[in-house]
Amino acid sequence: MRNKADLLKHGNIFYYDYVFKWQLELGRKDGEKPRPVCVLTVLKSANGLTHVGLLAVSATPPKADQVAIELPQIECRRGGLKEWKGGWIIVSEYNYDIVERSYSLDVNQDPIGRFSKQFMQRLADEALPLFRQGSARIDRTKA
């Protein structure tokens, strides 16, 4: 088995069965398809479990109730999304998962790319205040 740390670095992009808030409100527990996500947070708990916060990367413009940052073309390339003409990172919600217990996360995959530190700082600056409001977290540990 590959080292999870290879995949779970701040800014890495990989495929994940992301569930949007609107899907959860419709009673869905699984995403429609694996989609690119960005690792925003990685925390190791005292019991050795790895907790992650994942942001959705989308080629579709955000819905009216979503806050998103437009993805610059250079970050598309860095993120391994070279064929995309543009995109958005949804920062008003995130999937929370525990790596060692996840049914949606394949730690054997290689990251498809990685966003720059500067862009990741911008994402964190936008996302963290929204996360503190409490309604942004979509808990995937109960799936």
Side-chain angles (χ1 to χ4, degrees):
M1 183 181 205
R2 117 181 288 141
N3 182 351
K4 290 181 279 286
D6 292 342
L7 181 65
L8 298 173
K9 292 180 182 169
H10 184 72
N12 274 6
I13 312 302
F14 60 92
Y15 287 96
Y16 177 80
D17 186 24
Y18 188 93
V19 175
F20 286 99
K21 186 176 180 181
W22 66 267
Q23 292 170 318
L24 194 65
E25 290 169 350
L26 292 174
R28 298 181 190 169
K29 295 189 190 270
D30 296 313
E32 293 176 353
K33 61 182 180 181
R35 68 172 45 258
V37 295
C38 173
V39 177
L40 183 64
T41 59
V42 180
L43 300 169
K44 211 52 149 161
S45 63
N47 63 358
L49 296 177
T50 310
H51 301 254
V52 291
L54 305 168
L55 298 176
V57 181
S58 180
T60 305
K63 295 184 178 300
D65 63 341
Q66 293 175 320
V67 178
I69 293 177
E70 193 163 357
L71 191 55
Q73 189 61 44
I74 190 159
E75 294 298 338
C76 283
R77 289 193 302 273
R78 288 176 180 150
L81 307 166
K82 296 175 182 139
E83 70 281 358
W84 290 27
K85 296 199 182 344
W88 290 264
I89 308 292
I90 310 301
V91 295
S92 54
E93 64 183 60
Y94 69 99
N95 277 198
Y96 163 74
D97 212 339
I98 298 174
V99 175
E100 293 81 4
R101 298 179 180 167
S102 180
Y103 294 103
S104 301
L105 178 60
D106 176 8
V107 295
N108 294 311
Q109 66 179 300
D110 289 323
I112 60 173
R114 188 172 189 183
F115 292 145
S116 69
K117 284 185 178 185
Q118 295 81 5
F119 189 67
M120 287 306 299
Q121 185 60 55
R122 181 175 172 209
L123 291 178
D125 290 346
E126 293 287 329
L128 294 178
L130 297 170
F131 292 2
R132 288 186 185 111
Q133 295 173 6
S135 63
R137 178 172 151 160
I138 299 164
D139 192 340
R140 297 300 306 284
T141 63
K142 295 172 179 63

